[in-house]
Amino acid sequence: GESVGLHLPTLSVQEGDNSIINCAYSNSASDYFIWYKQESGKGPQFIIDIRSNMDKRQGQRVTVLLNKTVKHLSLQIAATQPGDSAVYFCAENPHNAGNMLTFGGGTRLMVKP
Amino acid sequence: GAGVSQSPSNKVTEKGKDVELRCDPISGHTALYWYRQSLGQGLEFLIYFQGNSAPDKSGLPSDRFSAERTGGSVSTLTIQRTQQEDSAVYLCASSLGPTETQYFGPGTRLLVL
């Protein structure tokens, strides 16, 4: 999920397959991580979050995995649906630098029917 | 309940003019954030308000940018003497407290001609 300007990394999956979106974060002091979904023309929508005292958290059809050793975060979407097509951003909250979020560059998920 | 609302949804202005963007946070949320999203990019932090504390302005790109939050609720982001590079989507978020999940509004799309 590194920022590449206009050319977002794109993940194309078949409807019904599982999707895995990856993100590398930068601040080892970050203790809170969030995944957002952003559809065209809309603001980011909260999906799931995880705190640094956990390595896995599950929601409805989504799972977030946190590997603090390599500073890696992933979002798994089960049985991907066309409505899941969007840009997905990971964000970290380095509390030692304030309460603002630092966002990754985003990954575009395209679901083929 | 009602989410974060922003107005206007779109704004076209001429270079050199001032603009004001408004954010209505979720009722009861004490923390309010402004971010900027340039085309195809991730979100960039601008400014953060928490309760009655002095705002964190560390993300403002220049002294042409300022923000206020009146009565601990509505916030206005002002950009003076707009430049073409100010063209972006300006997103507002609010959270129940400083370490809680941030919920975003739909954004204001600013185009400076």
Side-chain angles (χ1 to χ4, degrees):
Chain A
E2 297 300 323
S3 174
V4 288
L6 290 175
H7 304 287
L8 288 172
T10 298
L11 175 65
S12 184
V13 300
Q14 202 70 41
E15 180 179 359
D17 288 351
N18 297 333
S19 303
I20 300 176
I21 301 172
N22 296 303
C23 177
Y25 64 91
S26 56
N27 191 331
S28 57
S30 292
D31 58 1
Y32 179 53
F33 305 88
I34 313 100
W35 281 100
Y36 286 93
K37 171 187 181 183
Q38 188 174 28
E39 296 174 285
S40 181
K42 298 183 179 180
Q45 175 189 355
F46 171 82
I47 301 174
I48 192 168
D49 58 2
I50 189 169
R51 298 196 182 269
S52 58
N53 60 349
M54 302 174 69
D55 53 21
K56 180 179 180 179
R57 190 168 186 216
Q58 288 184 294
Q60 186 177 13
R61 282 202 307 118
V62 294
T63 301
V64 55
L65 298 177
L66 174 63
N67 185 330
K68 295 181 287 294
T69 303
V70 295
K71 293 190 286 187
H72 184 270
L73 196 66
S74 69
L75 177 70
Q76 300 178 0
I77 305 173
T80 314
Q81 301 169 0
D84 296 327
S85 295
V87 177
Y88 289 80
F89 291 97
C90 65
E92 60 182 303
N93 192 177
H95 287 301
N96 63 337
N99 287 305
M100 71 290 292
L101 295 175
T102 300
F103 282 80
T107 297
R108 185 180 306 280
L109 176 65
M110 298 177 61
V111 182
K112 297 176 288 186
Chain B
V4 177
S5 61
Q6 293 185 244
S7 62
S9 54
N10 293 280
K11 177 71 176 179
V12 180
T13 191
E14 294 179 348
K15 177 181 173 181
K17 295 285 182 67
D18 298 352
V19 295
E20 285 190 353
L21 313 179
R22 176 187 168 105
C23 172
D24 283 83
I26 295 172
S27 178
H29 280 196
T30 64
L32 185 148
Y33 309 78
W34 283 98
Y35 294 85
R36 177 169 71 173
Q37 185 174 32
S38 299
L39 185 63
Q41 302 278 350
L43 282 72
E44 170 193 15
F45 166 75
L46 296 176
I47 188 169
Y48 157 61
F49 295 89
Q50 172 56 49
N52 296 319
S53 302
D56 179 343
K57 304 179 182 180
S58 59
L60 295 179
S62 78
D63 58 9
R64 296 186 295 105
F65 288 71
S66 63
E68 292 185 340
R69 188 179 185 193
T70 54
S73 181
V74 171
S75 177
T76 303
L77 177 69
T78 301
I79 309 173
Q80 296 178 307
R81 305 181 302 282
T82 51
Q83 303 295 312
Q84 289 182 332
E85 60 262 29
D86 299 334
S87 297
V89 177
Y90 289 82
L91 289 154
C92 176
S94 70
S95 62
L96 195 58
T99 61
E100 302 297 323
T101 302
Q102 295 180 29
Y103 295 93
F104 284 82
T108 294
R109 284 147 193 81
L110 175 66
L111 177 61
V112 182
L113 300 177

